[in-house]
Amino acid sequence: MPQNVPSFSSMLEAAEHSAVHLEMRDTYGVSGEADDFTTWQRTGQRDTDRHSAHWAPWVDLVSRAVSRGVIVQRARIVSEPVSDYIRFEYAGTTVNLSAGEQVRWLSRRRASDIALPGNDFWLFDGRLIRWNHFAGNGSSGGPEIADDPATAKLCSEAFEAVWARAVPHEQYEIR
């Protein structure tokens, strides 16, 4: 059933306390990153200029949220050795950090006993979920919104369990 989903920007702008993101895929095929990923694969160079056309809107959005006191955290569960796409993400994470995000990494082997939702998500203020659905090839399958308290609790507990075990970006070594 199609759903009218607010933009991610409006959801982050409405957040009052927290916005946490759990990523669990080893590869994504998001169209907005395709050219950058191809360039990185060819050259090993990643756009890490927080003022670039690619990054500036994200940096501005997150920086504004953080300046309002919103805690923005991102945890990534990854298979090791990591995929090329995860290496690409890792190379760009310095920009996320410069915007005020906190980022941690967890080896999938260390997540085996954590009850995890079936999809990546953003959880805003511990109550509003924005599911990120993906096709098998990693392309976006579109977002979905949920506010069921039991599901929000599952997401919150899953994120907190991952966060507690995960390694801060500055200490994580790509394998």
Side-chain angles (χ1 to χ4, degrees):
M1 172 185 296
Q3 186 183 39
N4 186 13
V5 176
S7 71
F8 176 81
S9 296
S10 67
M11 294 181 77
L12 186 55
E13 287 168 353
E16 296 177 2
H17 308 290
S18 63
V20 300
H21 186 35
L22 184 59
E23 296 179 4
M24 298 180 284
R25 295 179 56 92
D26 287 320
T27 188
Y28 294 86
V30 180
S31 60
E33 296 177 338
D35 291 343
D36 287 341
F37 183 51
T38 300
T39 298
W40 178 84
Q41 287 179 302
R42 191 178 67 252
T43 68
Q45 300 299 311
R46 175 84 199 263
D47 173 12
T48 57
D49 177 1
R50 60 181 279 131
H51 303 290
S52 71
H54 174 77
W55 284 109
W58 179 256
V59 169
D60 183 52
L61 179 66
V62 172
S63 296
R64 285 194 322 265
V66 170
S67 71
R68 290 192 331 270
V70 176
I71 295 168
V72 181
Q73 296 172 310
R74 178 186 305 256
R76 292 175 170 145
I77 299 174
V78 297
S79 300
E80 293 175 332
V82 300
S83 67
D84 282 349
Y85 185 86
I86 294 301
R87 289 180 185 283
F88 167 74
E89 276 192 329
Y90 184 86
T93 299
T94 57
V95 182
N96 298 83
L97 297 172
S98 75
E101 275 189 73
Q102 300 169 38
V103 180
R104 292 187 181 181
W105 302 81
L106 181 64
S107 167
R108 191 169 310 284
R109 287 183 176 271
R110 295 195 60 225
S112 295
D113 63 344
I114 299 173
L116 298 168
N119 294 289
D120 289 11
F121 65 86
W122 277 92
L123 178 64
F124 298 93
D125 296 329
R127 61 175 183 73
L128 184 61
I129 306 157
R130 182 183 175 104
W131 297 113
N132 294 331
H133 297 290
F134 293 94
N137 67 0
S139 64
S140 176
E144 180 183 359
I145 302 299
D147 62 2
D148 171 66
T151 306
K153 182 179 182 207
L154 168 69
C155 291
S156 180
E157 289 174 350
F159 184 85
E160 290 304 320
V162 168
W163 192 257
R165 290 185 191 178
V167 176
H169 176 75
E170 299 82 1
Q171 297 169 14
Y172 182 72
E173 294 180 24
I174 287 286
R175 296 181 183 140

